[in-house]
Amino acid sequence: MNRYLQLFFSLLKMVSVPLLNFMTLFLGIKFYGKENWGEFISISIWIFFMAFMSKWSGQNYLSKEFNKNTSTYLSIFYSNILERCVLLLPSIALFFIFPFQEALSAVILLILLFIYNSYEALIVYNQKFQFQFLAEITGMIIIFIGFVVFPVFSLTTIFYVLSVSYLVKICMLLVTFKHSFEKINISFSFMNLAHTFPFFLIGFSGWLASKCDIYVVSIFFSKKELSEYQILISFFLMLQAIPAYLILPVNKHLFRLSQISIKKIKKKLALIALPIIVLSSLFIWFVITFFIKIQFSFLIYFFATLSTIPTFFYLVDMMQLYKKNKEKIIMKLSFVTASLNLIMLFLLTPNFRILGVIISICIAQWLYLFFIKKENKK
């Protein structure tokens, strides 16, 4: 597949993955109301937190290992899945917190999330973006049908609908890859989990910086406010994710590119950043105001837009730090930024509500840009 097709399908993937999350949110609110869906959000965020924890070392570690061991990358991949299975054991606690049926449906969803998320590394390495796009579209259709068939709100039912969606997507990916397991040697070692702990800390610090807001607002906001905030932040997270997916076609080779090639990529991202951000923000305002019928102030949109700019300018620098084996530096910078973000969230959210959350996120993003740029110049 040529580079233009790779870029096209990476853009489709960029749209489809966060769009699935947004469409699930939008359909959930439309079918079940803001209050009921706010209840689902307040519980599902902990399921997705456990799914994140079980990703452990994440895609960055596997990408490096795949490039160093091209002939045995499948053995590394499936061994990594087996080793990470032990990280799902804390989900047993759900059976002591929720009724049995709710806990069972939540655990099933978590396991399927774990499997589907694991295939992200293979999709990127093999450049199979078009097949993931088809899987995501299929998942959207299944969720919509599920909400139509089961119009009465029930946490258990929603968990099962989402589970069916992920199961179908997993099956589609398995058919796509068609691995010969005879050539795969699967091993298990707790030492590998310990060895990849720095990669986990990097991912965890990044998660704190980008996801901790929803856990903080779930403390202070009503279920209705929580649903409205989730609508707003989902839009801007999709916008913030654009640069990451724009470089997906070259992500596989980024560790081997020359400084001249990397500078060209940075320049191209910088040139397209403002047009994309401005036009996308106007589109977000239009859809939320006139289609979804939620009113947010100008300041909320202004700071939300401002918070999406840094990603376009620090992403490649961050990848360069990975290339220089400075994972620990990234981890420290991410934890500092995330800690400052958490402090600001607890200080600003009670009095300024959604505006306080958005300002906190905006300041944290610009601080992270400053830290990353400064470190990469050393």
Side-chain angles (χ1 to χ4, degrees):
M1 185 184 299
N2 63 49
R3 290 182 61 185
Y4 293 105
L5 279 177
Q6 287 178 359
L7 178 60
F8 173 71
F9 284 116
S10 71
L11 288 172
L12 285 180
K13 178 181 181 294
M14 170 201 71
V15 173
S16 63
V17 176
L19 186 60
L20 172 62
N21 296 328
F22 174 77
M23 287 301 297
T24 303
L25 171 65
F26 175 74
L27 291 173
I29 290 174
K30 283 296 181 181
F31 277 91
Y32 304 115
K34 294 177 184 177
E35 289 287 341
N36 285 332
W37 200 253
E39 180 184 350
F40 167 77
I41 293 172
S42 65
I43 296 173
S44 65
I45 56 176
W46 297 105
I47 297 173
F48 285 94
F49 172 69
M50 286 187 282
F52 165 79
M53 294 293 286
S54 65
K55 289 173 70 174
W56 195 248
S57 55
Q59 182 184 313
N60 288 323
Y61 163 74
L62 288 175
S63 294
K64 291 185 72 173
E65 291 300 307
F66 290 170
N67 281 303
K68 289 191 296 184
N69 305 276
T70 55
S71 61
T72 59
Y73 79 95
L74 285 177
S75 297
I76 294 171
F77 172 73
Y78 284 104
S79 296
N80 180 261
I81 289 181
L82 180 62
E83 290 159 355
R84 290 186 294 108
C85 281
V86 298
L87 302 174
L88 294 173
L89 291 177
S91 63
I92 296 173
L94 293 173
F95 289 96
F96 298 94
I97 300 173
F98 301 107
F100 179 80
Q101 288 298 327
E102 283 185 13
L104 179 62
S105 60
V107 169
I108 291 173
L109 174 60
L110 173 61
I111 293 171
L112 293 170
L113 263 170
F114 169 80
I115 297 171
Y116 185 70
N117 288 340
S118 296
Y119 274 91
E120 179 75 17
L122 279 189
I123 290 166
V124 174
Y125 183 74
N126 290 289
Q127 308 283 282
K128 299 287 187 179
F129 307 121
Q130 69 274 32
F131 296 106
Q132 188 181 26
F133 171 72
L134 292 175
E136 292 294 339
I137 294 298
T138 304
M140 290 183 196
I141 294 171
I142 291 172
I143 289 173
F144 176 75
I145 293 172
F147 287 175
V148 171
V149 174
F150 303 103
V152 178
F153 179 76
S154 165
L155 286 173
T156 302
T157 301
I158 293 171
F159 288 147
Y160 279 131
V161 168
L162 295 178
S163 296
V164 172
S165 171
Y166 278 105
L167 179 61
V168 172
K169 291 192 290 186
I170 290 168
C171 292
M172 292 178 70
L173 292 181
L174 286 173
V175 171
T176 298
F177 288 110
K178 297 178 182 177
H179 296 146
S180 174
F181 286 91
E182 295 178 0
K183 299 178 182 179
I184 297 174
N185 296 315
I186 299 178
S187 60
F188 181 91
S189 173
F190 283 111
M191 290 303 297
N192 286 335
L193 290 178
H195 173 69
T196 56
F197 184 63
F199 285 92
F200 164 74
L201 287 178
I202 293 169
F204 182 67
S205 60
W207 175 87
L208 276 178
S210 62
K211 298 291 185 182
C212 64
D213 58 303
I214 191 65
Y215 295 85
V216 174
V217 300
S218 68
I219 298 172
F220 295 105
F221 287 4
S222 67
K223 298 294 189 292
K224 180 175 178 289
E225 279 183 298
L226 183 58
S227 293
E228 291 178 346
Y229 172 74
Q230 189 74 341
I231 284 280
L232 176 73
I233 202 64
S234 294
F235 266 119
F236 281 98
L237 283 176
M238 284 191 278
L239 176 53
Q240 197 177 75
I242 288 176
Y245 289 106
L246 284 175
I247 67 168
L248 269 179
V250 298
N251 191 44
K252 179 179 176 180
H253 312 287
L254 199 59
F255 292 107
R256 299 192 292 265
L257 291 177
S258 66
Q259 286 298 317
I260 295 175
S261 298
I262 290 175
K263 284 181 179 179
K264 288 181 179 179
I265 294 172
K266 286 183 181 180
K267 186 177 180 180
K268 289 179 180 179
L269 282 176
L271 287 173
I272 64 174
L274 288 179
I276 289 177
I277 290 168
V278 171
L279 291 175
S280 299
S281 297
L282 288 173
F283 174 76
I284 291 169
W285 165 79
F286 179 82
V287 172
I288 291 179
T289 303
F290 298 103
F291 184 64
I292 304 179
K293 306 292 184 182
I294 300 176
Q295 299 294 325
F296 294 113
S297 69
F298 168 78
L299 284 177
I300 288 176
Y301 282 110
F302 174 76
F303 283 106
T305 300
L306 203 61
S307 70
T308 62
I309 297 174
T311 314
F312 285 83
F313 293 91
Y314 71 62
L315 183 65
V316 177
D317 290 271
M318 192 168 69
M319 297 302 294
Q320 285 182 284
L321 291 177
Y322 277 114
K323 183 179 180 180
K324 298 174 184 176
N325 295 314
K326 290 189 175 182
E327 291 90 354
K328 290 183 180 179
I329 297 295
I330 298 174
M331 177 187 68
K332 291 177 183 178
L333 296 179
S334 297
F335 267 117
V336 169
T337 308
S339 299
L340 292 172
N341 189 26
L342 270 174
I343 293 170
M344 290 186 291
L345 283 168
F346 277 102
L347 289 175
L348 297 177
T349 303
N351 293 320
F352 296 96
R353 314 304 290 176
I354 292 178
L355 178 61
V357 180
I358 299 299
I359 291 174
S360 300
I361 293 171
C362 183
I363 295 173
Q365 281 292 306
W366 282 93
L367 281 174
Y368 195 62
L369 171 63
F370 171 76
F371 292 148
I372 291 292
K373 286 288 186 181
K374 183 180 178 181
E375 184 61 36
N376 201 33
K377 288 181 180 179
K378 292 181 180 179

